Amino acid sequence: LMFAVRRARLPDERPHIDAIHDACFEATHRALIATSEGHATPWFQPEGTCFVAEQSGSRGPIIGFIYVVTTEAEVGESLSSEEEPPLPRVDDLFVHPDAQGQGIGSRLISRAEDFVRERATGGLSSPPLRLHLCVLEADERARTFYRRHGFVEGPRFQSSVDGAHYLHAAKQLDIEAPPAPPPAKKSKTTPSCGDGGDSSNGSGSSHGSAVARLSDLRTATDGSLAWGAIAKFGTCYASV
């Protein structure tokens, strides 16, 4: 299946996005939420930036989407602090049931990660940078998908919206450090015996300022995930 990932044209494409969500929910998630002792609720339209996977061809159909929230200004109504994953985060990731298993979900999550990196290098954040989400505990397929893409599961909680149990998850993203400054020019003084030149350094040569190493420019981290103050609930079922 040939497809391309692009930014969604909202609100015009919202009906197509809603249709994909509804198809995935009926095919899989209604039963999973019930398994997790929860109950189905109306879908709350996510906030943030939306990317869609579009089947190749003239005005091909939308077959998947992902929502990414990067700033507080994009956050709508808040839930309890226990339920709200930090920013930046994925709010939703869905691929139409007929198009699953063909790498569409992987392309969408990769695009979301690139978008977060782009915002980070533009001043959103500084290393270490993590992308957050919530995943339904009963959805083993989604949990496997996220683990395969480098997400580490964190605390478990019960949703006040649908009663189901979810897990926080996060992935540390690598971003390029600023380039090291050029080496300082060394003095070209060439001393000779008895010429009265300054030999206070004992060798007749002067040293420029030390050059910053790339490793010095990165924020030290042990790679562990911190589950601190938390910001809006993202129901990441991840039908991929």
Side-chain angles (χ1 to χ4, degrees):
L1 179 66
M2 302 294 291
F3 64 93
V5 173
R6 60 169 174 79
R7 196 158 181 163
R9 293 187 284 268
L10 298 176
D12 294 348
E13 293 180 327
R14 195 177 300 280
H16 303 287
I17 292 170
D18 291 347
I20 292 172
H21 167 269
D22 293 345
C24 292
F25 188 85
E26 293 301 327
T28 307
H29 299 120
R30 184 182 295 277
L32 286 175
I33 288 177
T35 300
S36 186
E37 301 177 359
H39 55 276
T41 61
W43 186 45
F44 294 97
Q45 189 66 239
E47 310 288 341
T49 302
C50 182
F51 295 95
V52 296
E54 182 179 60
Q55 190 169 340
S56 298
S58 178
R59 298 182 65 83
I62 293 175
I63 50 181
F65 69 90
I66 190 169
Y67 273 89
V68 191
V69 180
T70 57
T71 67
E72 290 290 348
E74 298 172 322
V75 176
E77 184 178 351
S78 295
L79 300 174
S80 69
S81 60
E82 181 187 35
E83 299 176 49
E84 297 175 339
L87 300 176
R89 67 166 176 263
V90 172
D91 255 8
D92 268 316
L93 169 57
F94 286 98
V95 175
H96 194 281
D98 294 341
Q100 292 178 14
Q102 303 188 63
I104 298 170
S106 295
R107 283 277 298 278
L108 286 168
I109 197 72
S110 177
R111 182 65 188 92
E113 292 174 7
D114 288 343
F115 177 70
V116 169
R117 290 188 185 97
E118 291 163 9
R119 297 295 299 272
T121 55
L124 168 71
S125 182
S126 59
L129 177 66
R130 298 185 180 97
L131 179 60
H132 301 263
L133 54 84
C134 291
V135 60
L136 186 64
E137 185 180 38
D139 194 343
E140 287 294 342
R141 184 178 182 185
R143 293 173 63 183
T144 298
F145 170 83
Y146 287 123
R147 285 194 294 264
R148 190 169 70 244
H149 286 82
F151 285 83
V152 178
E153 293 179 348
R156 175 180 185 263
F157 67 93
Q158 185 171 17
S159 168
S160 61
V161 176
D162 60 22
H165 290 91
Y166 293 83
L167 297 167
H168 288 288
K171 176 181 180 178
Q172 185 160 311
L173 303 180
D174 294 327
I175 60 175
E176 293 184 2
K185 293 183 179 180
K186 295 183 177 181
S187 171
K188 296 183 179 180
T189 303
T190 305
S192 59
C193 294
D195 66 355
D198 180 11
S199 58
S200 60
N201 61 8
S203 64
S205 63
S206 62
H207 296 279
S209 60
V211 179
R213 295 174 300 173
L214 183 61
S215 60
D216 294 331
L217 298 173
R218 296 184 183 276
T219 301
T221 176
D222 61 1
S224 62
L225 296 175
W227 303 101
I230 312 191
K232 175 185 180 255
F233 177 60
T235 309
C236 241
Y237 298 115
S239 282
V240 294

